[in-house]
Coordinates of all heavy atoms in Angstrom, one line a residue:
M1 N 0.8 -1.1 0.0 CA 0.0 0.0 0.0 C 0.9 1.3 0.0 O 1.9 1.3 0.7 CB -0.9 0.0 1.3 CG -2.3 -0.6 1.0 SD -3.3 -0.5 2.4 CE -2.7 -1.9 3.4
I2 N 0.4 2.3 -0.7 CA 1.2 3.5 -0.7 C 0.6 4.5 0.4 O -0.6 4.6 0.5 CB 1.1 4.1 -2.2 CG1 1.9 3.3 -3.0 CG2 1.7 5.6 -2.1 CD1 1.5 3.5 -4.6
C3 N 1.5 5.0 1.1 CA 1.0 6.0 2.2 C 0.4 7.2 1.6 O 1.0 7.9 0.7 CB 2.3 6.4 3.0 SG 1.9 7.6 4.3
P4 N -0.8 7.6 2.0 CA -1.5 8.7 1.4 C -0.9 10.1 1.9 O -1.2 11.0 1.3 CB -3.0 8.5 2.0 CG -2.9 7.7 3.2 CD -1.7 6.8 2.9
R5 N -0.1 9.9 2.9 CA 0.5 11.2 3.4 C 1.8 11.5 2.7 O 2.1 12.6 2.3 CB 0.7 11.1 4.9 CG 1.0 12.5 5.5 CD 1.5 12.3 7.0 NE 0.5 12.3 8.0 CZ 0.7 11.9 9.2 NH1 1.9 11.6 9.7 NH2 -0.3 11.9 10.1
C6 N 2.8 10.5 2.8 CA 4.1 10.7 2.1 C 4.4 10.0 1.0 O 5.6 10.1 0.4 CB 5.1 10.5 3.3 SG 5.4 8.8 3.7
K7 N 3.5 9.2 0.4 CA 3.5 8.5 -0.8 C 4.7 7.4 -0.8 O 5.3 7.1 -1.8 CB 3.9 9.4 -2.0 CG 2.7 10.5 -2.2 CD 1.5 10.0 -2.7 CE 0.4 11.1 -2.9 NZ -0.4 11.3 -1.7
T8 N 5.0 6.8 0.4 CA 6.0 5.8 0.5 C 5.3 4.5 0.2 O 4.3 4.2 0.8 CB 6.6 5.8 1.9 OG1 7.2 7.1 2.0 CG2 7.7 4.8 2.0
E9 N 5.9 3.6 -0.5 CA 5.3 2.3 -0.7 C 5.7 1.4 0.5 O 6.9 1.3 0.9 CB 6.0 1.6 -2.0 CG 5.6 0.2 -2.3 CD 4.1 0.0 -2.3 OE1 3.3 0.6 -3.1 OE2 3.6 -0.9 -1.5
N10 N 4.7 0.8 1.1 CA 4.9 0.1 2.3 C 4.5 -1.4 2.2 O 4.5 -2.1 3.1 CB 4.0 0.7 3.4 CG 4.5 2.0 3.9 OD1 5.5 2.1 4.6 ND2 3.9 3.0 3.5
G11 N 4.4 -1.9 1.0 CA 4.1 -3.3 0.7 C 2.7 -3.6 1.4 O 1.7 -3.0 1.1
S12 N 2.8 -4.7 2.3 CA 1.6 -5.1 3.0 C 1.4 -4.5 4.4 O 0.6 -4.9 5.1 CB 1.6 -6.6 3.1 OG 2.6 -7.1 3.8
R13 N 2.4 -3.6 4.7 CA 2.2 -2.9 6.0 C 1.0 -2.1 6.1 O 0.5 -1.5 5.1 CB 3.4 -2.0 6.2 CG 4.8 -2.7 6.4 CD 5.9 -1.7 6.5 NE 5.6 -0.9 7.6 CZ 6.3 -1.0 8.8 NH1 7.3 -1.9 8.9 NH2 6.2 -0.2 9.7
T14 N 0.5 -1.9 7.3 CA -0.6 -1.1 7.6 C -0.3 0.3 8.1 O -1.2 1.2 8.2 CB -1.7 -1.9 8.5 OG1 -1.0 -2.3 9.6 CG2 -2.3 -3.1 7.8
I15 N 0.9 0.3 8.7 CA 1.4 1.6 9.2 C 2.6 1.9 8.4 O 3.5 1.1 8.1 CB 1.7 1.3 10.7 CG1 0.5 1.1 11.5 CG2 2.4 2.7 11.2 CD1 0.6 0.6 12.9
C16 N 2.7 3.2 7.9 CA 3.7 3.7 7.1 C 5.0 3.6 7.8 O 5.2 4.0 9.1 CB 3.4 5.1 6.7 SG 4.8 5.8 5.7
S17 N 6.1 3.0 7.0 CA 7.4 2.8 7.7 C 8.1 4.2 7.8 O 9.1 4.3 8.5 CB 8.2 1.8 6.9 OG 8.3 2.2 5.6
K18 N 7.7 5.2 7.1 CA 8.4 6.4 7.0 C 7.9 7.5 8.0 O 8.6 8.0 8.8 CB 8.4 7.0 5.6 CG 9.5 8.1 5.4 CD 9.3 8.6 4.0 CE 10.3 9.7 3.8 NZ 10.1 10.4 2.5
C19 N 6.5 7.7 7.9 CA 5.9 8.8 8.7 C 5.0 8.1 9.8 O 4.5 8.9 10.6 CB 5.2 9.7 7.8 SG 3.7 9.1 7.1
G20 N 4.7 6.8 9.9 CA 4.0 6.3 10.9 C 2.5 6.4 10.7 O 1.7 6.2 11.6
F21 N 2.1 6.9 9.5 CA 0.6 7.1 9.2 C -0.1 5.8 9.2 O 0.4 4.8 8.6 CB 0.5 7.8 7.9 CG -0.9 8.2 7.5 CD1 -1.4 9.4 8.1 CD2 -1.7 7.5 6.6 CE1 -2.7 9.8 7.8 CE2 -3.0 7.9 6.3 CZ -3.5 9.0 7.0
Y22 N -1.3 5.8 9.8 CA -2.0 4.4 9.9 C -2.8 4.4 8.6 O -3.8 5.0 8.4 CB -2.9 4.5 11.1 CG -3.6 3.3 11.5 CD1 -2.6 2.2 11.9 CD2 -4.9 3.0 11.4 CE1 -3.2 1.0 12.3 CE2 -5.4 1.8 11.8 CZ -4.5 0.8 12.2 OH -5.1 -0.4 12.6
I23 N -2.3 3.5 7.7 CA -2.9 3.4 6.4 C -4.2 2.5 6.5 O -5.1 2.7 5.7 CB -1.9 2.7 5.4 CG1 -0.6 3.5 5.3 CG2 -2.5 2.6 4.0 CD1 0.6 2.8 4.8
Y24 N -4.2 1.4 7.2 CA -5.2 0.5 7.3 C -6.6 1.1 7.8 O -6.6 1.7 8.9 CB -4.9 -0.7 8.1 CG -5.9 -1.7 8.4 CD1 -6.1 -2.7 7.4 CD2 -6.7 -1.7 9.5 CE1 -7.2 -3.6 7.6 CE2 -7.7 -2.6 9.7 CZ -8.0 -3.6 8.7 OH -8.9 -4.5 8.9
H25 N -7.6 0.9 7.0 CA -9.0 1.2 7.5 C -9.9 0.1 7.0 O -9.9 -0.4 6.0 CB -9.4 2.5 6.8 CG -8.7 3.7 7.3 ND1 -8.9 4.3 8.6 CD2 -7.8 4.5 6.8 CE1 -8.1 5.3 8.7 NE2 -7.4 5.5 7.6
P26 N -10.7 -0.4 8.1 CA -11.5 -1.6 7.8 C -12.6 -1.4 6.8 O -13.0 -2.3 6.1 CB -12.2 -1.9 9.1 CG -11.9 -0.7 10.0 CD -10.8 0.0 9.5
D27 N -13.0 -0.1 6.5 CA -14.0 0.1 5.5 C -13.4 0.5 4.2 O -14.2 0.9 3.3 CB -15.0 1.2 6.1 CG -14.3 2.5 6.5 OD1 -13.1 2.4 6.7 OD2 -15.0 3.5 6.5
V28 N -12.2 0.4 4.0 CA -11.6 0.8 2.7 C -11.5 -0.5 1.9 O -11.1 -1.6 2.4 CB -10.2 1.5 2.9 CG1 -9.5 1.7 1.6 CG2 -10.5 2.9 3.6
N29 N -11.6 -0.4 0.5 CA -11.7 -1.6 -0.2 C -10.3 -2.2 -0.4 O -10.2 -3.4 -0.7 CB -12.1 -1.2 -1.7 CG -13.7 -0.9 -1.7 OD1 -14.4 -1.5 -0.9 ND2 -14.1 0.0 -2.6
N30 N -9.2 -1.4 -0.3 CA -7.9 -2.0 -0.6 C -7.3 -2.6 0.7 O -6.1 -2.7 0.8 CB -6.9 -0.9 -1.2 CG -6.7 0.2 -0.2 OD1 -7.3 0.3 0.9 ND2 -5.8 1.1 -0.5
R31 N -8.1 -3.0 1.7 CA -7.5 -3.5 2.9 C -6.9 -4.8 2.6 O -7.5 -5.7 1.8 CB -8.6 -3.6 4.0 CG -9.7 -4.7 3.6 CD -10.6 -4.9 4.9 NE -11.7 -5.8 4.6 CZ -12.5 -6.1 5.5 NH1 -12.4 -5.7 6.8 NH2 -13.5 -7.0 5.3
V32 N -6.0 -5.2 3.4 CA -5.3 -6.5 3.3 C -6.0 -7.5 4.2 O -6.1 -7.4 5.4 CB -3.8 -6.4 3.7 CG1 -3.1 -7.8 3.5 CG2 -3.1 -5.4 2.8
K33 N -6.6 -8.5 3.5 CA -7.3 -9.6 4.4 C -6.3 -10.5 4.9 O -5.5 -11.1 4.2 CB -8.3 -10.4 3.4 CG -9.7 -9.6 3.4 CD -10.6 -10.4 2.6 CE -12.0 -9.7 2.5 NZ -12.8 -10.2 1.4
M34 N -6.3 -10.7 6.1 CA -5.4 -11.7 6.8 C -5.8 -13.1 6.8 O -7.0 -13.3 7.2 CB -5.1 -11.2 8.2 CG -4.1 -10.1 8.4 SD -3.9 -9.6 10.1 CE -2.3 -10.1 10.4
T35 N -5.0 -14.0 6.2 CA -5.5 -15.4 6.3 C -5.1 -15.9 7.7 O -4.6 -15.2 8.5 CB -4.6 -16.2 5.3 OG1 -3.2 -16.1 5.6 CG2 -4.9 -15.7 3.9
K36 N -5.6 -17.1 8.0 CA -5.4 -17.6 9.3 C -3.8 -17.8 9.6 O -3.5 -17.5 10.8 CB -6.1 -19.0 9.4 CG -6.7 -19.4 10.7 CD -7.5 -20.7 10.7 CE -8.2 -20.9 11.9 NZ -8.8 -22.3 12.0
A37 N -3.1 -18.3 8.6 CA -1.7 -18.5 8.9 C -1.1 -17.1 9.1 O -0.1 -17.0 10.0 CB -1.1 -19.1 7.6
E38 N -1.4 -16.0 8.4 CA -0.8 -14.7 8.6 C -1.1 -14.2 10.0 O -0.3 -13.7 10.6 CB -1.4 -13.8 7.5 CG -0.7 -13.9 6.2 CD -1.3 -13.0 5.1 OE1 -2.5 -12.8 5.2 OE2 -0.6 -12.5 4.3
R39 N -2.4 -14.4 10.4 CA -2.8 -14.0 11.7 C -2.0 -14.7 12.8 O -1.6 -14.1 13.7 CB -4.2 -14.3 11.9 CG -4.9 -13.3 12.9 CD -6.4 -13.3 12.9 NE -7.0 -12.7 11.6 CZ -8.3 -12.8 11.3 NH1 -9.1 -13.5 12.1 NH2 -8.7 -12.2 10.2
A40 N -1.8 -16.0 12.6 CA -1.0 -16.8 13.5 C 0.5 -16.3 13.6 O 1.0 -16.2 14.7 CB -1.0 -18.3 13.1
R41 N 0.9 -15.9 12.4 CA 2.3 -15.4 12.4 C 2.4 -14.1 13.1 O 3.3 -13.8 13.9 CB 2.7 -15.1 10.9 CG 4.2 -15.4 10.7 CD 4.6 -14.9 9.2 NE 3.9 -15.7 8.3 CZ 3.6 -15.3 7.0 NH1 3.9 -14.1 6.7 NH2 3.0 -16.0 6.2
E42 N 1.4 -13.2 13.0 CA 1.3 -11.9 13.7 C 1.2 -12.2 15.2 O 1.9 -11.5 15.9 CB 0.1 -11.1 13.2 CG 0.3 -10.4 11.9 CD 1.3 -9.4 11.9 OE1 1.4 -8.5 12.8 OE2 2.3 -9.3 11.0
D43 N 0.4 -13.1 15.6 CA 0.4 -13.5 17.0 C 1.7 -14.0 17.6 O 2.1 -13.5 18.6 CB -0.7 -14.6 17.2 CG -2.1 -14.0 17.1 OD1 -2.3 -12.8 17.1 OD2 -3.1 -14.9 17.1
A44 N 2.4 -14.7 16.8 CA 3.7 -15.3 17.2 C 4.7 -14.1 17.3 O 5.5 -14.1 18.2 CB 4.3 -16.3 16.1
K45 N 4.6 -13.1 16.4 CA 5.5 -12.0 16.5 C 5.2 -11.2 17.8 O 6.1 -10.8 18.5 CB 5.2 -11.0 15.2 CG 6.4 -10.5 14.6 CD 6.0 -9.4 13.6 CE 5.9 -10.0 12.2 NZ 5.4 -8.9 11.3
I46 N 3.9 -11.0 18.1 CA 3.6 -10.2 19.3 C 4.0 -11.0 20.5 O 4.6 -10.5 21.5 CB 2.0 -10.0 19.4 CG1 1.7 -9.0 18.3 CG2 1.6 -9.5 20.7 CD1 0.2 -9.0 17.9
M47 N 3.8 -12.4 20.6 CA 4.3 -13.2 21.6 C 5.8 -13.2 21.7 O 6.3 -13.1 22.9 CB 3.8 -14.7 21.4 CG 2.5 -15.1 21.8 SD 2.3 -14.7 23.6 CE 3.3 -16.0 24.3
G48 N 6.5 -13.2 20.6 CA 8.0 -13.1 20.6 C 8.4 -11.8 21.3 O 9.4 -11.8 22.1
K49 N 7.7 -10.7 21.0 CA 8.0 -9.4 21.6 C 7.8 -9.5 23.1 O 8.7 -9.0 23.9 CB 7.2 -8.3 21.0 CG 7.8 -7.6 19.8 CD 6.9 -6.5 19.3 CE 7.4 -6.1 17.9 NZ 6.4 -5.1 17.4
K50 N 6.8 -10.1 23.6 CA 6.4 -10.2 25.0 C 7.6 -11.1 25.7 O 8.1 -10.7 26.7 CB 5.1 -10.9 25.2 CG 4.0 -9.9 25.2 CD 2.7 -10.6 25.5 CE 1.5 -9.7 25.2 NZ 0.2 -10.3 25.2
V51 N 8.0 -12.2 25.0 CA 8.9 -13.1 25.6 C 10.3 -12.3 25.7 O 11.0 -12.4 26.7 CB 9.1 -14.3 24.7 CG1 10.4 -15.1 25.0 CG2 7.9 -15.2 24.8
W52 N 10.6 -11.5 24.6 CA 11.8 -10.8 24.6 C 11.8 -9.7 25.7 O 12.9 -9.5 26.4 CB 11.9 -10.0 23.3 CG 13.2 -9.3 23.1 CD1 13.2 -7.9 22.8 CD2 14.5 -9.7 23.2 NE1 14.6 -7.5 22.8 CE2 15.4 -8.6 23.0 CE3 15.1 -11.0 23.5 CZ2 16.8 -8.8 23.1 CZ3 16.5 -11.0 23.6 CH2 17.3 -10.0 23.4
K53 N 10.7 -9.1 26.1 CA 10.6 -8.2 27.2 C 10.8 -8.8 28.4 O 11.6 -8.3 29.3 CB 9.2 -7.6 27.2 CG 9.1 -6.2 26.8 CD 7.7 -5.6 26.9 CE 7.4 -4.3 26.2 NZ 6.0 -3.8 26.3
V54 N 10.3 -10.0 28.7 CA 10.5 -10.8 29.9 C 12.0 -11.2 30.0 O 12.6 -11.1 31.1 CB 9.6 -12.1 30.0 CG1 9.9 -12.9 31.1 CG2 8.1 -11.7 30.1
L55 N 12.6 -11.6 28.9 CA 13.9 -12.0 28.9 C 14.9 -10.9 29.2 O 15.8 -11.1 30.0 CB 14.4 -12.6 27.5 CG 14.0 -14.0 27.2 CD1 14.4 -14.4 25.7 CD2 14.8 -15.0 28.1
K56 N 14.5 -9.7 28.8 CA 15.3 -8.5 29.1 C 15.2 -8.2 30.5 O 16.3 -7.9 31.2 CB 14.7 -7.3 28.4 CG 15.6 -6.8 27.2 CD 14.8 -6.0 26.3 CE 15.2 -4.5 26.2 NZ 14.3 -3.8 25.2
V57 N 14.2 -8.3 31.2 CA 14.0 -8.1 32.6 C 14.8 -9.2 33.5 O 15.6 -8.8 34.3 CB 12.5 -8.2 33.1 CG1 12.4 -8.2 34.5 CG2 11.7 -7.0 32.4
V58 N 14.7 -10.5 33.0 CA 15.5 -11.5 33.6 C 17.0 -11.2 33.4 O 17.8 -11.4 34.3 CB 15.1 -12.9 32.9 CG1 16.0 -14.0 33.4 CG2 13.7 -13.3 33.3
W59 N 17.4 -10.7 32.2 CA 18.8 -10.4 32.0 C 19.3 -9.4 32.9 O 20.4 -9.4 33.5 CB 18.9 -10.0 30.5 CG 20.4 -9.6 30.1 CD1 20.7 -8.3 29.8 CD2 21.5 -10.4 30.2 NE1 22.0 -8.3 29.5 CE2 22.6 -9.5 29.8 CE3 21.8 -11.7 30.6 CZ2 23.9 -10.0 29.8 CZ3 23.1 -12.1 30.5 CH2 24.1 -11.3 30.2
I60 N 18.4 -8.2 33.2 CA 18.8 -7.2 34.0 C 19.0 -7.7 35.5 O 20.0 -7.4 36.2 CB 17.7 -6.1 34.0 CG1 17.9 -5.3 32.7 CG2 17.9 -5.1 35.1 CD1 16.6 -4.5 32.3
I61 N 18.1 -8.6 35.9 CA 18.1 -9.2 37.2 C 19.4 -10.0 37.3 O 20.2 -9.8 38.4 CB 17.0 -10.0 37.5 CG1 15.7 -9.1 37.7 CG2 17.1 -10.9 38.8 CD1 14.4 -9.9 37.6
I62 N 19.8 -10.8 36.4 CA 21.0 -11.6 36.4 C 22.2 -10.7 36.5 O 23.1 -10.9 37.3 CB 21.1 -12.5 35.2 CG1 20.1 -13.6 35.3 CG2 22.5 -13.1 35.0 CD1 19.9 -14.5 34.0
V63 N 22.2 -9.6 35.7 CA 23.3 -8.7 35.8 C 23.5 -8.1 37.1 O 24.6 -8.0 37.7 CB 23.2 -7.6 34.7 CG1 24.2 -6.4 34.8 CG2 23.3 -8.2 33.3
I64 N 22.3 -7.6 37.7 CA 22.3 -7.0 39.1 C 22.9 -8.1 40.1 O 23.9 -7.7 40.9 CB 21.0 -6.5 39.5 CG1 20.6 -5.3 38.6 CG2 20.9 -6.2 40.9 CD1 19.1 -4.9 38.7
V65 N 22.5 -9.3 40.1 CA 22.9 -10.3 41.0 C 24.4 -10.6 40.8 O 25.2 -10.6 41.8 CB 22.1 -11.7 40.7 CG1 22.8 -12.8 41.5 CG2 20.7 -11.5 41.2
V66 N 24.9 -10.7 39.5 CA 26.3 -10.9 39.3 C 27.1 -9.7 39.8 O 28.2 -9.9 40.4 CB 26.5 -11.2 37.8 CG1 28.0 -11.3 37.5 CG2 25.9 -12.5 37.4
M67 N 26.7 -8.6 39.5 CA 27.4 -7.3 39.9 C 27.5 -7.3 41.3 O 28.6 -6.9 41.9 CB 26.6 -6.1 39.4 CG 26.8 -5.8 37.8 SD 28.3 -5.1 37.4 CE 28.0 -3.4 37.7
S68 N 26.3 -7.5 42.1 CA 26.4 -7.4 43.6 C 27.3 -8.5 44.2 O 28.0 -8.2 45.1 CB 25.0 -7.4 44.1 OG 24.3 -8.6 43.6
F69 N 27.3 -9.6 43.5 CA 28.3 -10.7 43.9 C 29.7 -10.2 43.8 O 30.5 -10.5 44.8 CB 28.0 -12.0 43.0 CG 29.1 -13.0 43.3 CD1 29.0 -13.8 44.4 CD2 30.1 -13.3 42.4 CE1 29.9 -14.9 44.6 CE2 31.1 -14.2 42.6 CZ 30.9 -15.0 43.8
W70 N 30.0 -9.7 42.6 CA 31.4 -9.2 42.5 C 31.7 -8.1 43.4 O 32.9 -8.0 43.9 CB 31.6 -8.8 41.0 CG 31.9 -9.9 40.1 CD1 31.0 -10.5 39.2 CD2 33.0 -10.8 40.1 NE1 31.6 -11.5 38.7 CE2 32.8 -11.8 39.2 CE3 34.2 -10.8 40.8 CZ2 33.7 -12.8 38.8 CZ3 35.1 -11.7 40.6 CH2 34.9 -12.7 39.6
I71 N 30.9 -7.2 43.7 CA 31.0 -6.1 44.7 C 31.3 -6.6 46.1 O 32.2 -6.3 46.8 CB 29.8 -5.1 44.7 CG1 29.9 -4.3 43.3 CG2 29.9 -4.1 45.9 CD1 28.6 -3.5 43.0
L72 N 30.4 -7.7 46.5 CA 30.6 -8.3 47.7 C 31.9 -9.1 47.8 O 32.7 -9.0 48.8 CB 29.5 -9.4 47.9 CG 28.4 -8.9 48.8 CD1 27.2 -9.9 48.8 CD2 28.7 -8.7 50.2
A73 N 32.3 -9.8 46.7 CA 33.6 -10.5 46.6 C 34.7 -9.5 46.7 O 35.7 -9.8 47.5 CB 33.6 -11.3 45.3
G74 N 34.6 -8.4 46.1 CA 35.6 -7.3 46.2 C 35.8 -6.8 47.6 O 36.9 -6.7 48.1
L75 N 34.7 -6.5 48.2 CA 34.7 -6.0 49.6 C 35.3 -7.0 50.5 O 36.1 -6.6 51.4 CB 33.2 -5.6 50.1 CG 32.6 -4.4 49.5 CD1 31.1 -4.2 49.9 CD2 33.4 -3.1 49.9
M76 N 34.9 -8.3 50.3 CA 35.5 -9.4 51.2 C 37.0 -9.5 50.9 O 37.8 -9.6 51.9 CB 34.8 -10.7 50.9 CG 33.5 -10.9 51.7 SD 32.5 -12.1 50.9 CE 33.1 -13.6 51.7
Y77 N 37.4 -9.3 49.7 CA 38.8 -9.4 49.4 C 39.5 -8.2 50.1 O 40.6 -8.4 50.7 CB 39.0 -9.3 47.9 CG 40.4 -9.2 47.5 CD1 41.2 -10.3 47.4 CD2 41.0 -8.0 47.1 CE1 42.6 -10.2 47.0 CE2 42.3 -7.9 46.7 CZ 43.1 -9.1 46.7 OH 44.4 -8.9 46.2
L78 N 38.9 -7.0 50.0 CA 39.5 -5.9 50.6 C 39.6 -6.0 52.1 O 40.7 -5.7 52.7 CB 38.7 -4.6 50.2 CG 39.0 -4.0 48.9 CD1 38.0 -2.8 48.6 CD2 40.3 -3.6 48.7
S79 N 38.5 -6.4 52.8 CA 38.6 -6.6 54.2 C 39.5 -7.7 54.6 O 40.2 -7.5 55.7 CB 37.1 -6.8 54.8 OG 36.6 -8.0 54.1
G80 N 39.5 -8.7 53.8 CA 40.5 -9.8 54.1 C 42.0 -9.3 54.0 O 42.8 -9.6 54.9
G81 N 42.2 -8.4 53.0 CA 43.5 -7.8 52.8 C 43.9 -7.0 54.0 O 45.0 -7.0 54.6
I82 N 42.9 -6.2 54.5 CA 43.1 -5.3 55.7 C 43.4 -6.2 56.9 O 44.3 -6.0 57.7 CB 41.9 -4.4 56.0 CG1 41.8 -3.4 54.8 CG2 42.1 -3.7 57.3 CD1 40.5 -2.7 54.6
G83 N 42.7 -7.3 57.0 CA 42.8 -8.3 58.1 C 44.2 -8.9 58.1 O 44.8 -9.0 59.2
L84 N 44.8 -9.1 57.0 CA 46.1 -9.7 57.0 C 47.2 -8.7 57.3 O 48.3 -9.1 57.6 CB 46.4 -10.3 55.6 CG 45.6 -11.7 55.3 CD1 45.7 -12.0 53.8 CD2 46.2 -12.8 56.0
G85 N 46.8 -7.4 57.1 CA 47.7 -6.3 57.5 C 48.8 -6.3 56.5 O 49.9 -6.0 56.9
Ligands
ZN101 ZN1 4.0 7.9 5.2

């Protein structure tokens, strides 16, 4: 589909890749009918994004845990060093 605002060809996209204009309208004749397989693929894409979001949070938690472990280890090493004099 061609964006009515900036005339960019967007293929089967419903939102313009250049200006973000929402091309898709349910009452327009040139709408793209989604088959079951296409809809399933879209769902999978959305699910993938959700999983990625959760993974990002898990990754941040792991980084914080590892960081605090290293800080603790460093502090213990420092205090041990002081203890040894
Ligand atoms: Zn556009």
Side-chain angles (χ1 to χ4, degrees):
M1 267 182 277
I2 292 162
C3 175
R5 195 195 270 170
C6 69
K7 305 283 186 270
T8 302
E9 175 54 56
N10 286 286
S12 61
R13 287 176 64 103
T14 51
I15 296 165
C16 179
S17 57
K18 197 182 177 188
C19 71
F21 187 80
Y22 196 65
I23 303 161
Y24 175 83
H25 290 288
D27 53 338
V28 172
N29 289 328
N30 67 353
R31 70 170 175 175
V32 179
K33 273 185 185 163
M34 275 176 114
T35 63
K36 221 176 180 185
E38 279 175 330
R39 207 168 288 170
R41 210 187 301 149
E42 282 295 309
D43 283 351
K45 223 190 269 177
I46 292 161
M47 272 302 291
K49 268 183 192 170
K50 274 182 188 168
V51 168
W52 181 238
K53 252 185 193 174
V54 171
L55 275 176
K56 252 161 114 180
V57 171
V58 169
W59 175 243
I60 287 163
I61 290 166
I62 289 168
V63 167
I64 289 166
V65 167
V66 171
M67 286 282 280
S68 54
F69 171 79
W70 278 108
I71 289 164
L72 262 173
L75 285 172
M76 276 163 85
Y77 174 79
L78 280 176
S79 58
I82 293 160
L84 284 168

